[in-house]
Amino acid sequence: MNAFWIILTASLVSICCGILGCFLVLRKISMIGDAISHSVLPGIVIAFLISGSLSSVLVIIGASLMGLICTFLIEFFHRTVKIQSDAAIGMVFTFLFAVGVILITAYTGNIDLDVDCVLHGEIAYVPLDLAETGTFLDSFPTQPIILSILSLLILIFVFIGYKPLFLTSFDPEYAIAIGISTSLWHYLLMAAVSVTTVLSFESVGAILVVAFLIVPASTAYLLTDKLKLMILLSCVFGILSSILGYYLAAYLDGSIAGAISVMMGINFAIVFAYTKISSKKLQKIKSDPALNS
Amino acid sequence: MIKQVPNPLIEVHDLTVSYHTKPVLWNIDFSISKGQLVGIIGPNGAGKSTLLKSIMGLIEPQSGYVKIFDKNIDEIRDRVSYVPQRESVDWDFPASALDVVLMGRYSRKSWFKRYTKLDREIAFESLDKVNMKAFANRQISQLSGGQQQRVFLARALAQQTELYLMDEPFAGVDASTEESILQLLIKMTKEGKTILVVHHDLQTAFKYFDWMVMLNTSLIASCPSADAMTEEVIQNTYGGKLPLLSTISNLIKQKNLPIRE
Ligand SMILES: Nc1ncnc2c1ncn2[C@@H]1O[C@H](COP(=O)(O)OP(=O)(O)O)[C@@H](O)[C@H]1O
Ligand SMILES: [Mg+2]
């Protein structure tokens, strides 16, 4: 049963991240996922210091806000101060992460919050943390319940906002020209990434979240020319890596999060090799003069 | 040679735009009346794209303003279509030609709804107008440059508005397609639509357009095409360095060259 809960948790995170990751990759801002996942640390710590607990709503709100503040700061440094966007990302998130590290080491002593746990998560403990709601849900672990709700919310968000998300990702200038607020959709997406990062950091950690955001979406991007299919494939690769990664870790008796990351990398490599081989065929088709009218 | 028109559809007033501190448009002031096919002409870096973006309100000017239908652009975005330069997007995006053209049917009131059957019909019609119907389901990464350009044009046509701003719609398009698109634009202006086209080929420009806006950071001319065809205007627009200049003066000498009535 433990295996089931762990794989389910990882798969749910991979669905949330796989959907959002497609838009990050297509907007060429996938490193913002990295920035957000690190920047939530000071938010988590501050909220933890105020509320004295790691699993309060306050922590989720505080940390998500910090993720949004991070994206505001990146936009500010890029647009107003006019430095390169990758430099802006690097500056902002290392600073916020460092603030978080200082806060942890200075104030939380050796309470159960350490940098290592934030970065790598404790997915193996997911089945032990049962929900305490006083309802039938109490026989289930907390994380999969929360992540199921989150997955549903993200699906609804992308389903309802599909048109503007598609448009602002492909051609932001045209989107503004026809009256769509590109910054509104940018920040809605960033808010979704922030909440996802915060809700999944406890189980899978900041590093695996980043991998889930970027790798399956990039793998899917290699395979398809259709956005909807890309989103679907991205989720499939995430789930596949979660299953294979779990059993790899069990076999090696190693880190589950690490094994899942490795599986995503292997997925990518196989797909990349496959597209290279088949693009040779495509090249032949493309050079067919009949098709170039 | 700057002629202001009465009751202008577009009024550009004392517009100055700069990137960082370098002025790209300097004190531009002109007006365009309804139903004209207008060419915006100037050498590379003259600020033609910047002018279109300023009219569309995509760039904040240093000073001056633009009024369309006597209103601020933000009030009438649903009455203006924009064709950006092809290079402004990444064509490796996972989308089909139809997906892109359907964007023209986006409406602020029903942003959360699927596109309707009518939207699709209009999108197909628009693709047909630029001879791209056969490529509707082709992925945009697999289209040639000229075909991608035509997809952008079709997207603007699908908006079905009164005013069209087009940034180099003929770039990379073959001669026969250029001719058929030109005929389409002429037909649209006869129906009362107003079309501004950034164009870089001076030789064809005089044939194509009713009105010319000649630009090189400052405004050199805004007048009927025939009036713009003087050596002085062309020299001021291109600076004496244009190798084509002799060809152009030849053109001017044969003033009876075929100007469309
Ligand atoms: N985003 C930008 N940032 C800085 N300079 C720019 C930007 N866009 C255009 N420019 C500069 O402004 C000038 C005018 O550009 P543009 O309007 O694209 O000219 P055109 O379309 O006539 O070729 C050029 O010198 C160009 O280098
Ligand atoms: Mg240009």
Side-chain angles (χ1 to χ4, degrees), chain A residues 110-164:
Chain A
N110 31 11
I111 319 170
D112 69 333
L113 178 70
D114 59 71
V115 177
D116 207 45
C117 141
V118 172
L119 283 181
H120 301 116
E122 305 280 3
I123 198 165
Y125 298 153
V126 162
L128 304 178
D129 170 28
L130 296 183
E132 290 164 20
T133 57
T135 65
F136 74 97
L137 287 173
D138 286 8
S139 50
F140 299 110
T142 320
Q143 284 280 315
I145 298 174
I146 294 176
L147 289 169
S148 303
I149 299 169
L150 180 68
S151 305
L152 195 66
L153 289 178
I154 286 177
L155 274 174
I156 293 172
F157 167 63
V158 172
F159 187 78
I160 294 180
Y162 186 79
K163 269 185 348 189

Side-chain angles (χ1 to χ4, degrees), chain B residues 98-110:
Chain B
L98 184 64
D99 289 334
V100 175
V101 177
L102 275 171
M103 291 176 179
R105 300 304 304 160
Y106 181 93
S107 119
R108 267 189 283 180
K109 276 180 232 104
S110 58

Side-chain angles (χ1 to χ4, degrees), chain A residues 28 159 163 171 174 225, chain B residues 90 113-114 139 155 159:
Chain A
K28 303 187 171 58
F159 187 78
K163 269 185 348 189
D171 193 348
Y174 181 77
D225 288 333
Chain B
D90 177 7
K113 289 191 193 141
R114 310 280 102 178
Q139 298 308 309
R155 178 175 69 176
Q159 281 182 259

